[in-house]
Amino acid sequence: MTISNAPFSFLKRFLLLSAFIFTALLTCESAFAQTKVVYHIDDAQAQGLKGLRNIRNHLDTAPQTKIIVVTHAAGVDLLMEGAKDQKNNIEYGPLVSALKSRGVVFEVCEITLKNRNLNKNQFVLDADFTPSGVVKIADLQYLDHYAYIKP
């Protein structure tokens, strides 16, 4: 009595083909994947100018990168109307606007607004708002697979 290897041969070919297709799909997905980065700013004076320059350089080198800047605590000062880097006397607004025109999203933590008694109208028009900066950063990292940079 002889047992046929035909079913095992078919299964082996099917598994090999499935593995090949799966590998090809993963390769294609990574080839078309867009790099996504969240920049975390919680102190405008310590990180503001350096962070904005890092983002500019990032986009100069990798212009397709999707970048979201999340500010909270003293970092929201970066996006306030008329805010300047105290050390260099450079206004943040024009730098923020230039990056916004390149697709960068700037978000302000609403918990910080409440804690500091600030109003949304005190911020540059380029600013968006998020209920919690910390939650936004965590979600971007964990759920949306953003790389994390804190300048």
Side-chain angles (χ1 to χ4, degrees):
M1 181 168 147
T2 309
I3 298 178
S4 171
N5 283 337
F8 294 111
S9 178
F10 172 77
L11 182 59
K12 185 177 177 182
R13 280 186 287 198
F14 175 76
L15 289 175
L16 284 172
L17 181 61
S18 296
F20 174 76
I21 291 171
F22 182 72
T23 302
L25 287 174
L26 285 178
T27 302
C28 287
E29 181 182 347
S30 64
F32 294 110
Q34 179 182 33
T35 301
K36 302 178 291 186
V37 180
V38 57
Y39 278 79
H40 176 192
I41 308 285
D42 63 0
D43 184 340
Q45 285 307 309
Q47 301 168 273
L49 194 55
K50 177 173 65 169
L52 294 172
R53 287 179 176 161
N54 286 170
I55 295 165
R56 183 198 61 215
N57 293 341
H58 193 143
L59 290 173
D60 286 349
T61 304
Q64 298 306 313
T65 305
K66 180 176 171 98
I67 296 177
I68 298 177
V69 179
V70 179
T71 66
H72 69 98
V76 305
D77 297 351
L78 176 78
L79 298 172
M80 293 186 79
E81 196 66 55
K84 290 183 178 184
D85 177 83
Q86 299 301 320
K87 183 178 173 185
N88 299 298
N89 199 33
I90 296 173
E91 193 172 334
Y92 296 129
L95 303 173
V96 169
S97 291
L99 292 172
K100 180 81 172 186
S101 72
R102 296 178 72 180
V104 177
V105 174
F106 291 88
E107 299 209 2
V108 175
C109 172
E110 291 177 343
I111 292 174
T112 298
L113 296 183
K114 181 181 172 195
N115 291 342
R116 292 181 55 191
N117 294 315
L118 299 171
N119 295 311
K120 290 181 179 180
N121 62 2
Q122 293 177 270
F123 292 87
V124 296
L125 295 175
D126 296 314
D128 294 322
F129 298 88
T130 187
S132 168
V134 172
V135 170
K136 182 69 174 193
I137 292 166
D139 286 349
L140 287 169
Q141 285 185 271
Y142 184 74
L143 299 175
D144 299 324
H145 309 288
Y146 276 65
Y148 173 86
I149 295 177
K150 185 171 184 179

